[in-house]
Amino acid sequence: MPMQPWFRDAKLGIFLHYGIYAVDGVPESWAFYDGDVPHERYMSQLDRFTASDYDPRAWAALFARAGARYAVLTARHHDGVALWDTGQGDLSVVARSPAGRDLIAGYTEALRDQGLKVGLYYSHSDWNHPDYATAVHPEPHDEEIRTNRYASARPGEEDPAAWARFLAYRDAQVGELVNRYRPDLLWFDGEWERSEEQWGLDALAGLILAANPDTVLNARMLRHGDYATPEQGVPVVAPDGPWELCLTVNDSWGFRHHDHHHKSVRQLVRHLAETIGMGGNLLLAVGPREDGTIPAEQAARLEGLGEWVAKHSTAVYGTVAGLPAGHHYGPSTLSSDRRTLYLMCFDTPRETVSLRGLRTPVRRVSVLGRGTALGHRVVGGLGEVPGVLWIDAPPAADVDDCATVLAVELDGELELYRGAGRD
């Protein structure tokens, strides 16, 4: 299935790890899996999860101001706690917590009212389900998968019938999400604990796409995935095809009381610019408190990022990956008609900005968001080897605090020289 056009041009999404783990501010699911928190104490957070100030319309409005075009909410993490009224058992915030209501329906409605695409996260694995630890990955990449009691059956205690019951439960829950909420994107996780055959991903993909053929699936649906999902660092080389960088605003996916190590707005702008300059989307993670409010430090960073995006929207949306490394000292994007380059400068330009290997003549250079025209000239060049385009640095008043963007309007479609120069 060809990739949905909306995803390629979304550029920015918001990732929400929201669940009972926000009560005590412990790592989502991993806290008991790794033995850092006793299982009973972890699950006791259900009794204190209130969602008392949960306002998905406020979330959606904030995400829209940030410049996001989609969001992804953890409908069910590895701990198995569902945020909706599932018919598959009672392990949900609806049945077992003071929140007592479906937290996904309002989210999907609020996003769509803002024109945002709806993403739902669902973990293949469920470390609380009685039928989950009844199989073993035939070739686990990590020995802990084989030995952790929440992940795998003990040697000789595999139970194919129980595993089949688990897959039926998994399929039924995914079916609920697809049929009730019709998400535009399903973000799967936990795939490393079983093989593709064990997961029965052919059948799962068929179930999803039969209900909504336009559903976008991430790479953790393995060969059924539509796009790659690197985490926590812009790759040096872009993955093949569509991709998305998953990045936390601080150091945590979910809410952690003591994690105040937030990235600055400048750093977030840089991550966004580098990601879209390589043709990817940025999925930026924030962790709501248990009451449903997004911490002020994180909301402020989304607002700041949105201010930069709004000012430079033509360099963000409707663009494709820009110049390969070596042509410009910084990321860039290219308009979809390939006639305008957007050069992003993180540091204050001094004297000139250079662009190498450009064969297409330049009509005009200006500061995006200001309109100020900049002088420019080509120096050098010999035969087929083009000279260097030198662009005058913008006036101090036109320098952006996060990243200055120069719009280079070309007299034709972009053509680059990629050779080694004359012998």
Side-chain angles (χ1 to χ4, degrees):
M1 181 184 73
M3 181 48 120
Q4 295 299 311
W6 73 260
F7 182 85
R8 287 185 178 274
D9 196 43
K11 308 303 182 184
L12 178 64
I14 305 298
F15 208 179
L16 295 136
H17 281 66
Y18 185 42
I20 64 170
Y21 35 85
V23 174
D24 291 337
V26 298
E28 55 290 331
S29 306
W30 294 97
F32 73 83
Y33 179 93
D34 290 335
D36 297 333
V37 174
H39 180 266
E40 183 178 358
R41 185 188 306 168
Y42 181 94
M43 296 308 295
S44 75
Q45 294 175 105
L46 266 168
D47 300 330
R48 293 168 282 141
F49 182 78
T50 67
S52 56
D53 291 318
Y54 172 64
D55 183 355
R57 294 194 175 279
W59 281 9
L62 173 62
F63 303 159
R65 292 195 300 274
R69 295 290 176 85
Y70 67 110
V72 178
L73 172 64
T74 49
R76 201 216 71 190
H77 207 265
H78 315 314
D79 61 12
V81 180
L83 297 191
W84 77 99
D85 189 15
T86 178
Q88 306 302 308
D90 70 345
L91 189 50
S92 72
V93 299
V94 182
R96 300 268 299 273
S97 84
R101 64 191 187 281
D102 182 335
L103 301 180
I104 295 182
Y107 157 85
T108 58
E109 181 180 347
L111 258 59
R112 288 182 170 128
D113 285 349
Q114 287 285 346
L116 306 182
K117 297 293 186 180
V118 173
L120 294 176
Y121 167 113
Y122 184 90
S123 175
H124 292 294
S125 57
D126 184 338
W127 296 331
N128 263 311
H129 196 283
D131 290 325
Y132 182 69
T134 58
V136 182
H137 194 302
E139 297 179 353
H141 68 78
D142 187 331
E143 186 60 24
E144 186 179 19
I145 294 172
R146 193 188 301 275
T147 59
N148 191 291
R149 65 189 179 100
Y150 296 110
S152 300
R154 294 174 181 173
E157 296 184 7
E158 294 88 351
D159 186 342
W163 181 247
R165 288 196 301 269
F166 175 78
L167 291 183
Y169 148 83
R170 188 273 320 268
D171 289 351
Q173 281 204 325
V174 172
E176 289 174 348
L177 294 176
V178 171
N179 291 310
R180 290 186 199 176
Y181 311 110
R182 300 193 64 78
D184 302 288
L185 182 152
L186 279 171
W187 210 104
F188 285 94
D189 202 6
E191 82 294 343
W192 60 85
E193 290 198 329
R194 299 289 187 268
S195 69
E196 183 164 350
E197 183 179 5
Q198 286 174 311
W199 285 127
L201 294 187
D202 287 350
L204 181 61
L207 178 156
I208 295 166
L209 298 177
N212 181 10
D214 294 334
T215 308
V216 175
L217 304 174
N218 72 333
R220 299 173 197 200
M221 276 290 285
L222 302 178
R223 65 187 177 86
H224 294 283
D226 296 310
Y227 70 96
T229 55
E231 294 184 15
Q232 295 290 48
V234 178
V236 176
V237 178
D240 292 333
W243 62 281
E244 167 192 79
L245 171 66
C246 311
L247 182 78
T248 53
V249 170
N250 53 5
D251 291 335
S252 309
W253 297 104
F255 175 72
R256 303 291 301 277
H257 295 87
H258 304 297
D259 185 355
H260 302 294
H261 191 216
H262 292 89
K263 298 171 181 66
S264 67
V265 173
R266 288 189 188 91
Q267 288 173 318
L268 295 178
V269 167
R270 184 166 190 145
H271 277 293
L272 176 63
E274 291 176 340
T275 300
I276 65 175
M278 294 173 67
N281 290 350
L282 175 63
L283 186 63
L284 187 60
V286 296
R289 297 184 181 87
E290 70 82 19
D291 65 4
T293 57
I294 294 175
E297 305 97 320
Q298 298 190 0
R301 281 157 175 80
L302 294 186
E303 298 276 10
L305 178 60
E307 291 175 6
W308 185 87
V309 170
K311 183 178 176 182
H312 304 94
S313 61
T314 55
V316 177
Y317 309 115
T319 63
V320 296
L323 299 166
H327 290 272
H328 163 63
Y329 295 104
S332 61
T333 58
L334 177 65
S335 62
S336 57
D337 66 2
R338 301 184 59 82
R339 289 174 174 267
T340 304
L341 270 170
Y342 299 100
L343 309 181
M344 301 179 189
C345 306
F346 298 127
D347 300 319
T348 301
R350 297 179 182 277
E351 185 182 357
T352 52
V353 174
S354 64
L355 178 56
R356 297 186 293 173
L358 180 63
R359 279 181 161 158
T360 315
V362 173
R363 294 177 53 245
R364 185 174 187 267
V365 180
S366 61
V367 182
L368 193 63
R370 305 287 290 193
T372 306
L374 301 177
H376 54 91
R377 67 209 64 83
V378 175
V379 177
L382 180 63
E384 292 188 355
V385 182
V388 176
L389 175 70
W390 295 97
I391 302 168
D392 293 341
D398 290 338
V399 173
D400 188 90
D401 191 45
C402 292
T404 304
V405 180
L406 308 184
V408 181
E409 300 172 37
L410 306 175
D411 191 16
E413 294 188 13
L414 175 68
E415 185 180 354
L416 294 175
Y417 172 77
R418 299 285 291 158
R422 183 177 175 181
D423 294 337

